[in-house]
Every structure is written in C-alpha cells, then in structure tokens.
Amino acid sequence: MNFETVIGLEVHAELATKSKIFCSCPTDFGAPRNSQVCPICLGHPGTLPRLNRKVVEYAVMAGLATGCRIAEFSCMDRKNYFYPDLPKAYQISQDAYPLCLDGGLTVEGDSGGKFIRIERIHIEEDAGKLIHSRDEILADYNRCGIPLIEVVTAPDMRSAAEARAFVSELRTILRCLGVSDCRMQEGGLRCDVNISVRPTGSAKLGERTEIKNLNSFQFIEKAIEYESRRQIDILTAGGTVRRETRRFDEQTGTTHTLREKETAADYRFFPEPDIPPLRLSPADIEALAARLPELPAARRKRYAALGLPAADVHILTEDRALSDYFDRAIAAGKHPRITANLLLSEYLRLSEGESFSCPVAPERLAAVADLAGAGTVNASTAKKLAARLWEGDFDPAETVLREGLGQICDEGVLREGIRSVFSENEGLVAQIRAGKTAAAKALVGKCMGRFGGRAEPRLLNRLVDEALKK
Ligand code: ADP
Ligand code: ZN
Ligand code: MG
C-alpha cells in the first residue's frame, strides 16, 4: 500500500520589538541570565500586564502580508499550564478570537506552485529557557514575555520539501517586513510539526503526532522524514498511531514520545481579565496596510520580468537590504541583468553581517553596468571596476577614459596581437593544430593577456579560432 504524508505547521516567530509584550523589559538576545526581568514578566502577584502597541502592529502587518483577514475584535486568553519555564503558571495567548484569520501563501510545492492555507495568526508571550546541566536544571527568564506570533497552517503540506518551502517563504516575508529577525539558531523562529500519514487517495486524515520546537530547516526535514517513516511502519504492521507530542533528537535524527497530546480542555483557556479586548478599526488596519513594503513575491515577479535568471531572483529577494540596493542601482542605470551579475558576484561575498551592506553608491554600480552594457568595457574589466569601487569611490566612466580601460574591438589591432602571440608560442600552436584542442583556452588566455584583459572576448575567440585554422 502507498501512503501519503500530511503536515500542518505551527510556526512561532519572535517579534523584533525593543521591549517585551506586557512590560518594558528589553528583548536583546544574549544578555546575562535573568538580567532582563521584572515583576510583570516574572508573574508576581499584584502586577498588571499592558499590551505593547508595536506587537499588535507587527502581527497585523504579518497577517496582511500573508493574505489574512484582520479581526476587528480579538482578545487575549490565559492558557494554563505548569512548567518551570513559565513562572506565572499560565501563558497569555489568544484562543477563540485570534488577531488574523484565513490567509495563506503560495510556495514551491512538489508539483509546481502550491497554496498553503494559514488558519490563524495570533499573538502570545514566550516562556523562559531551561538550561539542563549535569545534576540541576537552571532557569533563564530573560525570554519570558518576548512577543511571539504563532502562525498555524491547515494540514496542506505533503512532504518535507513543502514544509521547508512554507517556513522559508514565511521567514523571507517576516524579515522583509522587519517584524521579526527570524534567527533560527537563536530560537527566533521555531516550528511545531503536526504529521500524519494515510493511504494515498484516502479522504480521511490519519491520526497525527506533533513534534515540538524544531529550530532549523534541516531538523524540520529530518524530523518529518523520520516520523512519516515511523508511522508508515506502524500502519503497515497493522498497528495504530497514537496521538502524542514528540521530541526530535538532533543527535540521532529520531523522534521520541514526550507526553500524551494535551487537549484544549487541559489548558483551561479563559479570557485574560487584565487585558481588555483588542478593537481595531478599518482605518487602523488601512494605516498598517499602507506601511507594507513591496513583498518578496511581487519583487520576484518584477525581477523575472527584467529577464534575471531564477537563481539571481531568489538570492536578491531573500534579503530586503540587498533587494533595496539592487532597486536603487537599476533605477540609475539601463542594464539590470549586468547590474545583478556584478552585485551578486562582486559585492555579496564582501558584505558582512546578516543583511546586505555595501559602501558603494548604487549609482556607481549602475554606471559600471552601463559601461559594460554599452560595450565600452568588457565583462572582466567591469568586475575589476566594481571591485575597485568597494575600496574607494571614483567615477567609472572617467577612469576608463583616463586609464585606457576601454574594450578593444578593432579587428586589425586584435589580429596583430594574435600574430605575435602565435609566433612566441609556436609549440603550443602546433599542438593545438595537431588536435590537442583543450590547450586552445590557454592560448586565448595568452592573447587576452597581451591586451591587458581588455579585448572583446567573443571577437578575440573567433579571431584566434580563425588564425588556428590557417
Ligand atoms: P490542536 O487543537 O491540537 O492545536 P489544531 O486543529 O489546532 O489542533 O491543529 C494544529 C495543527 O495540526 C495545525 O497546523 C493543523 O493543520 C495540524 N493538523 C491537524 N490535524 C492534522 C492531521 N491529521 N495531520 C497532520 N496535521 C494535522
Ligand atoms: Zn519584564
Ligand atoms: Mg490549535
């Protein structure tokens, strides 16, 4: 029997606010343990939470960018559970009335573009972090009260690759909006994977398990592959899958039972009495919609229409800073493809840090691309000019004139140079003529060297070819 894997995701992303969701504690990552806490985020009796306005704004922006409807009425709820990472013994979250509903994203699926439905996006607070050492468990509460959005999808994915594609697209969007850094290695984006299998073609969903807290693309994929195999093996052997929460073991790549799946009743949700319901007017939502930047999907479309290769389009739209830089450069020049090529080959690797930064004015890069596009300089000179601009600013067109860097396209001049290179390399020429064609590249290289790298490469190739046939 063939089985089909069914996956639904619950993705938690930390919002990039300066302060926490219900108090003014800072949210910086990596501060000394328990240095960013106060009576509110520690849940001391008698304290009152106040909802951070930025959290709502960011979550609404995330909802709008993922095609959700924004609820004009939503409300915070208490989710009760006792675990030492949560000193309040309840988490303030949203249950029945989430902020964003019924959206979705089109991602690269197993057979072309695929729409993955988003059921809801709600806001909630993060819990602290437990540090397990040899004989004790320590608690760091700095993360208590860091704002999160939780994005819950419908069970629409059918493979590890589709799940990865969804998380990747969501991450690109949240980063483009600036609402979350989505640093997975710091736990800024974490994913719970719900997974079941069923006989291919069956209309009914199988019993599912939930794998908690995966914080890398690799772990998401590995966990799905392992768990889907495990469930298929159980069903094939005539057993039944138990509904439970499982943990992924990063060392072995396997999953293990953590606990029986809790149900909503276990959490005893009730409306948070200390925070009034949230009411957003259509005008509030409009104002936030107006703040949305051009989204990655729209950018991709625009770049593809410029004739950029798919791989370049993908890289350019992964990082908003890079994409913004590219847009400024192409606005200043006439050759977007060459601009993209120079940007990705010369500047991307020099840029340090998480998002692209570059000392070269985009207009300068555009000027170099235009010189190459017009045939004034060849591709390798263009690359050298671009690289030089990183070291310090100059006017590319003027420098090409002053230093004589222009491309050589004069056939007479090129033939003359080729003739003398041939006579200095008679042995090599004879070998090539005798059939060692692989050496022709070296010969062209020598000719190019004769012209200081400035010959028009295609013309040079043709003339060398012709000379060899003589
Ligand atoms: P819970 O009440 O446990 O939170 P939900 O119905 O809210 O369950 O679903 C949580 C997640 O589990 C969603 O992402 C949903 O798509 C996914 N899910 C639900 N049923 C299945 C299933 N049978 N197989 C795979 N994923 C599922
Ligand atoms: Zn606090
Ligand atoms: Mg749920």
Side-chain angles (χ1 to χ4, degrees), residues 22 37 145 170 196 229 249 287 366:
F22 302 124
V37 292
L170 179 65
S196 62
R229 183 77 256 158
D249 184 327

Side-chain angles (χ1 to χ4, degrees), residues 232-469:
I232 291 171
D233 288 346
I234 291 176
L235 296 185
T236 311
T240 48
V241 173
R242 265 197 330 174
R243 175 135 177 207
E244 61 187 9
T245 302
R246 298 177 70 86
R247 183 178 65 83
F248 176 69
D249 184 327
E250 297 167 8
Q251 253 73 50
T252 59
T254 57
T255 66
H256 303 278
T257 303
L258 206 57
R259 55 179 182 262
E260 274 197 7
K261 173 97 182 101
E262 45 303 81
T263 61
D266 294 328
Y267 291 128
R268 291 168 293 118
F269 279 108
F270 65 89
E272 167 57 53
D274 289 335
I275 299 176
L278 262 155
R279 289 172 198 279
L280 295 173
S281 70
D284 293 332
I285 299 166
E286 269 309 302
L288 289 165
R291 276 171 45 187
L292 294 187
E294 183 185 26
L295 296 172
R299 274 197 152 152
R300 275 183 216 125
K301 245 193 178 147
R302 189 159 57 79
Y303 291 169
L306 294 174
L308 303 191
D312 289 7
V313 172
H314 178 78
I315 300 170
L316 283 169
T317 50
E318 276 293 276
D319 175 6
R320 164 109 179 260
L322 180 65
S323 185
D324 286 346
Y325 184 93
F326 177 65
D327 278 342
R328 284 167 61 202
I330 60 175
K334 297 195 219 49
H335 295 278
R337 285 174 64 167
I338 301 174
T339 305
N341 188 270
L342 289 171
L343 177 59
L344 299 183
S345 70
E346 299 308 306
Y347 291 167
L348 191 56
R349 69 192 152 82
L350 293 173
S351 161
E352 282 165 10
E354 201 172 357
S355 63
F356 181 73
S357 74
C358 169
V360 182
E363 296 75 19
R364 292 298 203 210
L365 180 66
V368 174
D370 283 356
L371 288 169
T376 310
V377 300
N378 67 16
S380 92
T381 304
K383 286 190 172 179
K384 283 182 205 145
L385 287 168
R388 264 172 73 182
L389 278 166
W390 190 281
E391 306 300 325
D393 185 54
F394 58 87
D395 182 328
E398 190 200 285
T399 303
V400 166
L401 274 182
R402 188 159 33 78
E403 298 183 10
L405 302 177
Q407 173 162 254
I408 303 167
C409 309
D410 184 312
E411 291 200 16
V413 173
L414 292 173
R415 283 216 177 83
E416 182 60 43
I418 290 170
R419 229 187 326 273
S420 59
V421 171
F422 271 43
S423 63
E424 287 159 23
N425 296 277
E426 277 170 354
L428 184 59
V429 171
Q431 279 176 17
I432 299 167
R433 282 184 172 140
K436 200 179 164 201
T437 47
K441 233 179 146 182
L443 188 62
V444 173
K446 285 187 194 293
C447 295
M448 189 54 116
R450 172 64 49 111
F451 298 107
R454 293 182 296 112
E456 203 283 298
R458 256 175 314 194
L459 184 57
L460 183 73
N461 258 305
R462 178 163 68 73
L463 296 178
V464 169
D465 256 6
E466 284 175 14
L468 279 168
K469 283 187 188 116

Side-chain angles (χ1 to χ4, degrees), residues 20 22-26 36-43 141-142 144-145:
K20 292 186 179 180
F22 302 124
C23 62
S24 55
C25 288
Q36 297 180 153
V37 292
C38 73
I40 296 173
C41 53
L42 289 175
Y141 292 131
N142 282 352
C144 276

Side-chain angles (χ1 to χ4, degrees), residues 6-10 119 152-156 194-196 205-208 210 243 261-262:
V6 175
I7 301 154
L9 299 175
E10 295 162 281
E119 290 175 349
V152 182
T153 78
D156 284 351
N194 296 271
I195 173 168
S196 62
L205 290 178
E207 186 58 281
R208 72 170 192 264
E210 176 175 2
R243 175 135 177 207
K261 173 97 182 101
E262 45 303 81

